[in-house]
Amino acid sequence: MAEVLSTPQFQVLTHQYTGEKTGRIYFPALFLAEFHVNLATGEYPRGKVHTSVTKWLQQKEIIFSDTDVKQYGDGSFRLYFRVSNCLEEEYFRLVNILMEKAMN
């Protein structure tokens, strides 16, 4: 049985020749589904979290292009990105934002 992912998955990839580091983050469909509008009420169940992820992706420190995004048929997507800061710090900043918003 396949494991169903409900939280973003993160990896740091290091180029074997140049040593350049790239972040890879995967946003699973189940995680993203929490952002969809409840058609019966018209409300966003986790709208605060969605806004936080969107703002995180729009930062000038998060560098990526259209070719760095891969969207899958189930609605999930994978993103390769670079940052001006430490990759791990940026990821943990996103995780902290998500944890704070999920608890409020």
Side-chain angles (χ1 to χ4, degrees):
M1 179 183 274
E3 181 181 354
V4 177
L5 299 173
S6 61
T7 58
Q9 306 295 305
F10 175 74
Q11 248 182 327
V12 174
L13 307 170
T14 305
H15 191 280
Q16 66 179 358
Y17 299 116
T18 65
E20 181 181 14
K21 293 189 178 206
T22 302
R24 177 171 64 189
I25 191 165
Y26 172 73
F27 291 95
L30 186 57
F31 175 77
L32 297 170
E34 294 179 350
F35 302 141
H36 288 241
V37 176
N38 178 333
L39 296 178
T41 64
E43 297 175 357
Y44 287 92
R46 304 279 297 271
K48 292 179 183 177
V49 175
H50 180 261
T51 301
S52 298
V53 171
T54 303
K55 285 182 180 178
W56 183 81
L57 288 171
Q58 291 175 341
Q59 294 179 91
K60 64 181 177 184
E61 293 88 3
I62 307 295
I63 305 162
F64 65 94
S65 68
D66 291 343
T67 59
D68 295 323
V69 180
K70 166 74 173 169
Q71 188 162 7
Y72 299 97
D74 65 355
S76 62
F77 72 94
R78 178 200 68 215
L79 170 71
Y80 289 96
F81 65 97
R82 294 183 323 278
V83 295
S84 53
N85 302 324
C86 174
L87 285 166
E88 291 89 348
E89 285 178 19
E90 283 300 330
Y91 174 70
F92 286 120
R93 194 158 65 97
L94 172 62
V95 169
N96 287 335
I97 291 168
L98 295 178
M99 296 293 283
E100 287 174 13
K101 298 295 183 187
M103 294 193 166
N104 291 335

